[in-house]
């Protein structure tokens, strides 16, 4: 099997001409920060820029992250955690303060290009038992007034990311919001429509497969299926389109069938469950991107893709709860240290990326291209370690790396070693060290 190239590049726009409205579509990423070993925000922003990723969705307004995004031109969705909805819904002063601290102070010349504020995250999730439901509309109204006071209401739009369990049906054409949500969804969508905001939904075919052993695996992908779903004159060949059109039908039933839709989260994990692996993640995400880039749309919206699609997620998050499943910590396109996991072409041509370390020798034709998966990651770990001047604190990688004085070079593939300025180490070659991968790690995941 050919070794993977370390590349992730960016798709920006799709234009629909003719009698259709011009639609700007783009692929962005979710940037979560629930990790024991966080990269510096400036390092992550550099990762985004190197890979031409120009849209990012944040789950909270972290000042260090927002400051790192200043002047980059990257379009940003800033999130408000569910736990803040109660205070924002009950106090206009609280919403004024939040907007002033987290939006107004950054949307300035040379600042952050904040396009959306995500009010809550999946607040209608069934498992919440309506805990946040009563807060949504009052919070939206307060925040809209606060944006208007700051003269930002025409530029920064409010959205509410919803889980796909907000609607249901046996066939896409029969899609409807859950009965207990019909009233508030009608209010929400009316608000979004009147203020020029899209409907944001999170769609996860992987979770459908994970939760149901009878779910046809090939239907979760975009490669064709022997389990196509026939719905009248429409035929569905993948779960994403079926789910998307179920939402379109639900919106139509409450009078908003033309509502623009943004995919707030979609992706595939690389570990932690059956079916969660590098190959599946690459096939799913590449299939999804090709589907959007190909302007195929869906049976109910032919030729009209989502407004934007935000892949989940940019980085693995090792501190996330595993109550939903161990896979929760393995959604990243990049591992926690910024190393790309698999090749993914998002539409602007090939670009090799290996975070802040030099992994160019792992590319096709490189001297280290054939050293295997374990060798690839050892090489990447070592490159980073040498770049950090052999600082021992830079080699832990969640316990996966170890310092060795034995040269791990293989054949023509030479593991680089640099001279350190650390006075506690001799600068002679006999004192220089490499980083390799602890063996038990590979017995667990390969």
């Amino acid at each position: 099997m050919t070794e993977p190239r370390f590349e992730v590049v960016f798709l920006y726009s799709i234009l629909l001409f003719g009698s259709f409205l011009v639609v700007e579509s783009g692929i962005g990423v979710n940037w979560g920060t629930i990790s024991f070993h966080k990269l510096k925000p400036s390092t992550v922003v550099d990762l985004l820029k190197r890979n031409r990723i120009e849209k990012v969705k944040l789950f909270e307004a972290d000042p260090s992250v927002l400051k790192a995004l200043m002047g980059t031109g990257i379009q940003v969705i800033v999130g408000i955690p569910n736990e803040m909805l109660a205070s924002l819904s009950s106090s206009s002063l609280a919403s004024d303060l939040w907007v002033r601290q987290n939006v107004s102070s950054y949307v300035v010349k040379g600042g952050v290009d904040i396009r959306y504020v995500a009010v809550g995250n999946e607040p209608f999730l069934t498992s919440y038992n309506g805990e946040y439901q009563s807060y949504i509309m009052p919070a939206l109204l307060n925040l809209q007034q606060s944006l208007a006071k700051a003269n930002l209401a025409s530029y920064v739009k409010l959205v509410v990311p919803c889980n796909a369990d907000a609607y249901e049906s046996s066939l896409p054409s029969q899609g409807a919001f859950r009965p207990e949500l019909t009233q508030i969804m009608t209010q929400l969508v009316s608000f979004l429509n009147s203020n020029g905001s899209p409907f944001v939904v999170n769609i996860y075919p992987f979770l459908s497969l994970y939760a149901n052993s009878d779910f046809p695996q090939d239907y979760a992908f975009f490669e064709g299926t022997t389990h196509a779903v026939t719905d009248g004159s429409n035929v569905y060949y993948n779960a994403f389109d079926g789910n998307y059109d179920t939402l379109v039908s639900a919106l139509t039933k409450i009078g908003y069938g033309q509502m623009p839709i943004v995919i707030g989260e979609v992706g595939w994990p690389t570990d932690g469950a059956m079916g969660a692996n590098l190959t599946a993640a690459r096939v799913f995400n590449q299939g999804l991107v090709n589907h959007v880039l190909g302007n195929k749309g869906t049976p109910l919206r032919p030729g009209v893709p989502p407004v934007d699609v935000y892949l989940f997620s940019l980085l693995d998050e090792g501190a996330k709860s595993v109550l939903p499943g161990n896979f929760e910590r393995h959604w990243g396109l990049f591992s926690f240290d910024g190393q790309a996991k698999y090749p993914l072409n998002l539409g602007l041509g090939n670009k090799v990326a290996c975070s802040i370390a030099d992994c160019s020798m792992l590319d096709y034709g490189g001297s280290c291209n054939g050293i295997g998966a374990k060798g690839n990651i050892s090489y990447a770990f070592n490159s980073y370690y040498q770049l950090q001047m052999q600082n021992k604190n830079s080699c832990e990688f969640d316990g996966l790396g170890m310092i060795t004085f034995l040269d791990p070079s293989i054949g023509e593939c030479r593991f680089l070693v640099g001279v350190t300025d650390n006075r506690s180490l001799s600068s002679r070659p006999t004192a220089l060290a490499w980083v390799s991968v602890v063996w038990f790690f590979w017995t667990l995941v390969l």
Side-chain angles (χ1 to χ4, degrees), residues 204-228:
Y204 284 105
F206 169 79
L207 295 181
S208 298
L209 181 64
Y210 177 77
N212 183 0
S213 59
D214 294 327
F215 190 90
Q217 182 168 333
D218 59 0
Y219 188 61
F221 296 89
F222 297 85
E223 309 300 304
T225 178
T226 58
H227 300 84

Side-chain angles (χ1 to χ4, degrees), residues 4-11 27-29 46-55 281-282 285-286 289 311 313-315 331-335 338-355 363:
R5 299 168 74 178
F6 292 83
E7 59 179 353
V8 172
V9 292
F10 176 74
L11 157 72
I27 302 291
V29 295
D46 185 55
L47 186 67
L48 294 170
K49 291 164 64 177
R50 289 188 184 193
N51 289 282
R52 306 177 191 176
I53 298 174
E54 299 179 6
K55 296 174 186 282
R282 179 187 61 79
N285 283 329
Q286 192 65 70
V289 169
L311 297 176
S313 61
L314 180 64
L315 300 162
W331 291 96
L333 301 175
F334 295 83
S335 55
Q339 306 301 328
K341 293 183 184 179
Y342 51 84
L344 187 63
N345 187 334
L346 302 184
L348 284 181
N350 294 331
K351 177 180 173 65
V352 174
C354 196
S355 183
D363 201 5

Side-chain angles (χ1 to χ4, degrees), residues 8-27:
V8 172
V9 292
F10 176 74
L11 157 72
Y12 181 62
S13 63
I14 298 172
L15 300 179
L16 307 176
F17 297 101
S19 60
F20 294 98
L21 200 62
V22 176
V23 177
E24 179 184 306
S25 295
I27 302 291

Side-chain angles (χ1 to χ4, degrees), residues 118-198:
V119 182
N121 185 48
E122 301 183 336
F124 306 116
L125 200 64
T126 307
S127 59
Y128 289 148
N129 296 314
E131 179 181 355
Y132 304 110
Q133 189 168 320
S134 63
Y135 303 139
I136 292 299
M137 292 311 303
L140 284 171
L141 293 171
N142 281 343
L143 288 164
Q144 186 67 24
Q145 291 177 357
S146 298
L147 288 172
K149 293 176 186 176
N151 295 316
L152 292 173
S154 63
Y155 187 77
V156 180
K157 302 299 181 180
L158 301 177
V159 296
V160 179
C162 294
N163 188 277
D165 80 343
Y167 47 90
E168 54 193 7
S169 80
S170 56
L171 290 173
S173 63
Q174 299 173 9
F177 290 110
R178 299 196 324 257
E180 70 273 22
L181 296 180
T182 301
Q183 181 178 358
I184 190 170
M185 279 298 177
T186 302
Q187 295 172 344
L188 169 61
V189 175
S190 176
F191 173 89
L192 297 174
N193 182 68
S194 63
N195 289 287
S197 297

Side-chain angles (χ1 to χ4, degrees), residues 59-61 78-103 117-121 132 134-147 149 158-160:
F59 292 93
E60 59 183 346
V78 176
I80 297 177
N82 291 333
E83 293 73 22
M84 295 184 63
L85 295 177
S87 62
L88 293 173
S89 69
S90 61
S91 169
S92 59
L93 292 177
S95 68
D96 288 347
L97 178 61
W98 191 92
V99 167
R100 185 164 59 250
Q101 290 181 335
N102 302 296
V103 182
V117 171
V119 182
N121 185 48
Y132 304 110
S134 63
Y135 303 139
I136 292 299
M137 292 311 303
L140 284 171
L141 293 171
N142 281 343
L143 288 164
Q144 186 67 24
Q145 291 177 357
S146 298
L147 288 172
K149 293 176 186 176
L158 301 177
V159 296
V160 179

Side-chain angles (χ1 to χ4, degrees), residues 231-384:
D231 184 5
S233 60
N234 294 325
V235 181
Y236 291 87
Y237 297 97
N238 64 78
F240 179 85
D241 283 358
N243 195 310
Y244 188 93
D245 273 3
T246 302
L247 171 59
V248 171
S249 293
L251 290 168
T252 301
K253 283 183 172 62
I254 62 172
Y256 295 92
Q258 302 304 313
M259 169 68 66
I261 296 173
V262 166
I263 307 301
E265 297 177 24
V266 61
W268 200 278
T270 58
D271 205 343
M274 290 291 293
N277 55 69
L278 292 172
T279 299
R282 179 187 61 79
V283 170
F284 177 83
N285 283 329
Q286 192 65 70
L288 172 71
V289 169
N290 293 346
H291 193 56
V292 175
L293 181 61
N295 190 27
K296 296 177 181 179
T298 62
L300 293 185
R301 288 190 175 180
V304 183
V307 176
D308 288 314
V309 175
Y310 289 83
L311 297 176
F312 191 86
S313 61
L314 180 64
L315 300 162
D316 280 349
E317 296 178 82
K320 287 189 73 174
S321 169
V322 295
L323 288 178
N326 291 332
F327 56 83
E328 280 295 336
R329 296 178 176 177
H330 303 282
W331 291 96
L333 301 175
F334 295 83
S335 55
F336 71 94
D337 61 340
Q339 306 301 328
K341 293 183 184 179
Y342 51 84
L344 187 63
N345 187 334
L346 302 184
L348 284 181
N350 294 331
K351 177 180 173 65
V352 174
C354 196
S355 183
I356 56 177
D358 177 18
C359 297
S360 57
M361 294 180 184
L362 300 175
D363 201 5
Y364 294 119
S367 60
C368 296
N369 178 236
I371 62 175
K374 186 176 88 168
N376 279 347
I377 297 186
S378 283
Y379 188 94
F381 281 9
N382 180 67
S383 294
Y384 180 82

